[in-house]
Amino acid sequence: MNSSTSSQHLILQPFWDYLLTEFSSSVNSPVFPVLLAFSGYVCFSFPFAVIDMMGVQCHFFYQYKIQKNKQPTIRMMTVCIWKAVFNHVIYVFPTVFLNWLCMPPVSLPVSAPSVCTLLGEVLGCLLLFDLQYFIWHVLHHKNYWLYKKVHAVHHEYVAPFSWSSQNLSGYELMTVGFWSTMNPIQLGCHPLTSWTCNLLSIWMSVDDHIGYDFPWSLHRIFPLGLYGGALAHDLHHQKPGTNFSPFFRHWDIICGTSCSMSEKA
Ligand SMILES: [Zn+2]
Ligand SMILES: [Zn+2]
């Protein structure tokens, strides 16, 4: 191991040691991934719910709202939160618990990944998820039966808001949960990569649905406009035959399904 690689390992090792010492039994519990996913959804969504509730009274944020004539109500937010709770209790936790019973967790590695390994693995997992969901998403829009039975729930709102990222059928939540959990395992990634990927996927999914085009949003600073974010996904809810990718834009550009604000009309 050369000196730069070993120094990269050293960056994450104290954090990893702390996790192993303080939380090794907790992270191996079947409750951990469910709590991580649900608390991520709540923490990432809540600040934007506050911005939504301030509405037009807070011009600083309201000026960036994409569909200014459509404001989410408290009732709409509550329905989404309850649907997320229902899906996690009825579908996600029993599945994770069954999987935990059938395949008891293996012991965690002693070494942390290097920063480069973590970043590379995270990017690889996100790109794989992006392709998987793109194909799934196109299929569930092109096939009327699949759309009606599975994906239509998510299109209940033409103007997305943060809590609506998990306004999903149980089957759709299970599918995306399966990929975000299994991709890092299948690719042989470090557990820290898996947890980082899970949280990042949830954050990016909330970011897709915030309904605001902030100047500091990731899609404004990502190179070559290849990250979709809130603007691209808001347009998908307005024009459901476009912008199928969940995170990036390259598959929509390659397949001719990309739509920008100037092309909307
Ligand atoms: Zn959506
Ligand atoms: Zn859709």
Side-chain angles (χ1 to χ4, degrees):
M1 196 183 290
N2 62 37
S3 60
S4 81
T5 311
S6 72
S7 66
Q8 283 181 25
H9 275 276
L10 286 177
I11 293 172
L12 293 173
Q13 194 62 48
F15 175 63
W16 185 243
D17 289 341
Y18 173 74
L19 284 181
L20 288 182
T21 311
E22 300 293 330
F23 301 105
S24 62
S25 56
S26 311
V27 297
N28 273 330
S29 145
V31 178
F32 173 73
V34 184
L35 271 184
L36 184 74
F38 191 77
S39 56
Y41 165 64
V42 171
C43 293
F44 298 141
S45 302
F46 184 75
F48 299 103
V50 174
I51 290 172
D52 277 334
M53 284 188 281
M54 290 191 292
V56 71
Q57 290 160 344
C58 184
H59 176 73
F60 178 75
F61 292 119
Y62 187 75
Q63 63 182 311
Y64 302 117
K65 180 138 178 71
I66 299 168
Q67 298 186 59
K68 289 192 169 57
N69 56 339
K70 294 193 171 76
Q71 201 68 17
T73 62
I74 300 278
R75 189 181 176 281
M76 287 156 67
M77 297 183 194
T78 312
V79 167
C80 289
I81 295 166
W82 273 114
K83 202 174 285 178
V85 171
F86 178 86
N87 282 339
H88 279 80
V89 171
I90 301 298
Y91 298 108
V92 179
F93 179 70
T95 311
V96 172
F97 184 67
L98 271 179
N99 185 56
W100 180 82
L101 282 180
C102 299
M103 287 196 300
V106 291
S107 55
L108 296 166
V110 174
S111 299
S114 71
V115 173
C116 275
T117 303
L118 182 86
L119 294 178
E121 287 180 348
V122 166
L123 183 63
C125 291
L126 290 177
L127 285 170
L128 178 59
F129 180 94
D130 197 67
L131 171 62
Q132 290 164 324
Y133 190 79
F134 176 81
I135 296 168
W136 185 98
H137 201 182
V138 170
L139 269 178
H140 284 72
H141 272 276
K142 301 292 177 196
N143 182 293
Y144 181 75
W145 186 85
L146 285 175
Y147 180 77
K148 272 283 168 213
K149 294 286 178 193
V150 179
H151 189 54
V153 174
H154 185 62
H155 281 274
E156 201 175 338
Y157 303 114
V158 175
F161 49 96
S162 60
W163 298 113
S164 69
S165 69
Q166 293 212 7
N167 184 35
L168 304 172
S169 64
Y171 171 67
E172 180 164 353
L173 181 62
M174 293 294 288
T175 307
V176 296
F178 176 79
W179 286 328
S180 50
T181 306
M182 292 310 290
N183 286 349
I185 295 172
Q186 296 296 325
L187 294 175
C189 299
H190 194 280
L192 198 54
T193 304
S194 304
W195 305 331
T196 308
C197 264
N198 281 333
L199 276 180
L200 257 183
S201 306
I202 292 163
W203 172 69
M204 289 158 92
S205 176
V206 170
D207 181 57
D208 275 356
H209 291 88
I210 58 174
Y212 292 85
D213 181 17
F214 295 122
W216 56 85
S217 292
L218 186 55
H219 67 268
R220 293 253 164 221
I221 49 181
F222 200 86
L224 306 172
L226 284 175
Y227 183 75
L231 194 53
H233 197 70
D234 206 285
L235 286 168
H236 172 69
H237 279 258
Q238 295 179 58
K239 286 185 71 178
T242 63
N243 294 350
F244 294 107
S245 296
F247 303 144
F248 304 103
R249 296 192 62 218
H250 54 284
W251 289 114
D252 277 307
I253 293 169
I254 291 166
C255 298
T257 50
S258 171
C259 177
S260 61
M261 208 61 180
S262 57
E263 295 163 312
K264 192 190 114 187

